[in-house]
Amino acid sequence: MLEVDPVIFGRHERRDGRPGFREVMPTTMGYVEEDGSDIRLMRIRVYDAAGNLEHTYLQDSIGVRFVDMPDLEDDLLYLERLSSEDDL
């Protein structure tokens, strides 16, 4: 089974080098591969230096971007499950 590195989620520097940060969260849209890998879309929220949201988009595990879908929820239970597995 492919392990998911929980470090990919959370707050990170912006990739465009501008002041601010980006927040990466897993979403509830995903599927399980034949080998048991849990593949999900991530929501990327980009903030300016003052902490104001500039834009959001969805991204898959290989980096392809998609338009954000507001009805698609963040999956906080997935984050909790990852952290509990990381503690083992």
Side-chain angles (χ1 to χ4, degrees):
M1 177 188 300
L2 178 69
E3 291 187 28
V4 177
D5 185 358
V7 175
I8 63 174
F9 301 113
R11 186 181 276 199
H12 302 280
E13 293 181 8
R14 287 178 61 142
R15 291 195 172 176
D16 58 10
R18 294 170 55 190
F21 62 95
R22 62 189 170 91
E23 181 182 63
V24 181
M25 295 294 291
T27 66
T28 55
M29 181 178 284
Y31 59 93
V32 177
E33 287 280 1
E34 197 171 301
D35 68 354
S37 302
D38 189 343
I39 308 297
R40 29 189 88 235
L41 284 178
M42 297 173 283
R43 174 169 287 116
I44 314 295
R45 292 180 178 96
V46 180
Y47 295 88
D48 64 15
N52 300 313
L53 181 64
E54 287 188 357
H55 64 276
T56 65
Y57 59 91
L58 297 175
Q59 182 174 310
D60 68 9
S61 58
I62 60 172
V64 177
R65 291 183 180 188
F66 302 94
V67 174
D68 194 5
M69 299 182 326
D71 293 345
L72 182 61
E73 296 180 12
D74 291 346
D75 193 347
L76 301 178
L77 293 175
Y78 182 74
L79 285 177
E80 287 177 21
R81 192 173 78 221
L82 277 180
S83 358
S84 67
E85 288 174 3
D86 194 40
D87 291 339
L88 297 176

